[in-house]
Amino acid sequence: MKAAVIDRFGGPEEIYYTDIEKPVPGPDEVLVKNIYIGVGKPDYIMRSGICPFLEAKPPKLVVGNECAGIVEAVGSEVKGIEPGMHVCVNSGLGYGAYAEYIAVPQKFVTVFPDSFPLKYAPGFLNYMVAYALLNEIGRGTDGKSIYIYGAAGGVGTAVIQTALLQGIEVIASAGSQEKCDYIKSLGAHCVFNHKEQDSKEVIMDYTKGRGVDLIFDQLVGKRFASQFEYLADFGMIVIYNWQEGSPELDQLDTIIKQSSHASAVRSFSFHIYDDKPERLAKIRKICMDRIISGKIVPHFYMDLPLSEARKAHELMDGLQIMGKLILHVEEK
């Protein structure tokens, strides 16, 4: 079968399209014939070699964390999933999705009804992440307003749509006018270019000095501590992805000094749900119902053939994506 793989960790140039052996499902595994494949930041983290959960190593390591298709075969211990079903795979393994076929444990497979457009499935995890960020991870704040930096990507889009559906005020930023226009089209209440305007100045002016209840930070790095300056009392910063690395150690002092504002920091990975199937099932059902009912309509940036996986990563690394970028498996 065809797959997009890497022989060593690095940039998009490490990805190449080649033939590898088709997987055979184990007793508790499901073999899926892929149709659509999602491209997202977890793939960047895996490809770069900075994923702390990645157990497999190159060479010929198949890139990708999420895909959707039709069940071709199941192992002897699999219950409730049969050949022909439409499914999505959020592998949990962090790899394996950029291929014509994938075999994964049943716990990583979601069955979709026929009423759910299969093309939406690879981006479905973004909406589960968004729901978790807003309703589980962000608990303990007043929860009236959020700020998300770099909000034009797949997760950012999902967070904005989910927050608006739940009546939460959305402040969002991006690094270009095109992306700001895209975010405005989603309905965000306050949008600004963080390369041209100061985040603290914009947010404190918009909130009339109150600050924002929840900040979703996918970068972290050296700029992390500055965000406390526009966080409301009882507010929280939720960090995920860590694209610019950890905060500097002396920034702990900044956090401690915020005690009079009861500020909080929480680190999030969706792997928290790996051993919580009932909680995960609840989130999955809520998000699925919202999409089937049309309350949320996923946004797509581009649909590329699997053979152009390298180009997809070049677009992702170049910060050009607005909404969800997907790949499709070419018909033979």
Side-chain angles (χ1 to χ4, degrees):
M1 70 172 186
K2 294 289 188 180
V5 306
I6 58 172
D7 283 343
R8 60 182 179 182
F9 297 121
E13 69 278 0
E14 301 297 340
I15 300 174
Y16 66 99
Y17 189 60
T18 189
D19 288 295
I20 64 171
E21 187 175 347
K22 179 180 174 180
V24 176
D28 69 335
E29 291 187 328
V30 178
L31 178 67
V32 178
K33 181 180 180 181
N34 285 332
I35 297 176
Y36 296 108
I37 298 161
V39 177
K41 288 299 181 182
D43 305 340
Y44 161 83
I45 294 170
M46 172 265 173
R47 187 206 73 213
S48 302
I50 59 176
C51 177
F53 305 102
L54 190 64
E55 296 181 0
K57 305 294 180 184
K60 285 203 171 181
L61 179 59
V62 179
V63 185
N65 182 66
E66 56 181 341
C67 49
I70 300 172
V71 176
E72 179 158 299
V74 298
S76 59
E77 298 176 7
V78 172
K79 307 295 183 185
I81 299 179
E82 300 175 354
M85 286 184 168
H86 290 194
V87 297
C88 177
V89 174
N90 298 124
S91 76
L93 306 172
Y95 64 93
Y98 289 18
E100 292 181 321
Y101 293 87
I102 185 171
V104 293
Q106 179 175 358
K107 65 180 180 178
F108 297 132
V109 178
T110 299
V111 177
F112 287 100
D114 293 342
S115 57
F116 191 99
L118 196 57
K119 189 173 183 178
Y120 290 172
F124 184 66
L125 179 61
N126 289 344
Y127 291 91
M128 294 177 67
V129 168
Y131 181 89
L133 286 170
L134 289 163
N135 297 284
E136 299 208 336
I137 309 307
R139 289 185 304 178
T141 72
D142 288 341
K144 297 177 181 177
S145 60
I146 65 168
Y147 169 54
I148 180 165
Y149 179 102
V155 171
T157 294
V159 168
I160 291 171
Q161 290 179 293
T162 303
L164 293 174
L165 181 65
Q166 296 180 188
I168 298 171
E169 191 167 47
V170 176
I171 303 171
S173 70
S176 73
Q177 187 58 51
E178 183 182 15
K179 288 184 177 181
C180 286
D181 290 343
Y182 169 71
I183 293 169
K184 288 178 183 177
S185 75
L186 296 174
H189 299 92
C190 175
V191 180
F192 65 96
N193 186 328
H194 52 237
K195 290 184 179 180
E196 298 178 353
Q197 295 177 274
D198 180 74
S199 298
K200 177 184 176 182
E201 185 177 315
V202 173
I203 292 171
M204 295 304 285
D205 180 64
Y206 180 76
T207 61
K208 296 181 173 57
R210 178 182 180 274
V212 68
D213 294 314
L214 270 171
I215 295 174
F216 295 121
D217 183 7
Q218 59 180 316
L219 298 180
V220 195
K222 294 181 179 180
R223 51 175 285 283
F224 173 72
S226 65
Q227 297 173 115
F228 286 100
E229 297 177 4
Y230 43 87
L231 191 64
D233 289 349
F234 303 101
M236 180 187 297
I237 301 174
V238 177
I239 56 181
Y240 63 104
N241 285 347
W242 301 68
Q243 293 174 34
E244 292 185 357
S246 299
E248 295 178 350
L249 290 177
D250 61 2
Q251 292 187 359
L252 180 61
D253 292 336
T254 303
I255 298 172
I256 293 171
K257 290 175 182 177
Q258 297 298 317
S259 59
S260 61
H261 297 283
S263 302
V265 177
R266 174 170 277 172
S267 178
F268 171 67
S269 166
F270 206 72
H271 286 283
I272 186 66
Y273 298 107
D274 284 354
D275 60 351
K276 300 172 180 62
E278 292 183 0
R279 203 161 186 163
L280 186 62
K282 175 187 174 183
I283 296 173
R284 182 184 294 121
K285 184 179 186 308
I286 290 172
C287 294
M288 193 179 297
D289 288 347
R290 287 177 173 181
I291 292 175
I292 291 174
S293 67
K295 292 180 179 178
I296 285 181
V297 179
H299 285 242
F300 293 95
Y301 174 67
M302 192 176 291
D303 181 352
L304 295 172
L306 175 58
S307 57
E308 294 189 32
R310 179 185 295 180
K311 178 181 178 180
H313 276 240
E314 290 171 349
L315 291 168
M316 178 166 59
D317 284 17
L319 304 178
Q320 298 182 49
I321 299 173
M322 292 173 283
K324 185 68 177 179
L325 192 155
I326 61 174
L327 304 170
H328 65 265
V329 175
E330 297 97 320
E331 295 184 8
K332 295 181 178 178

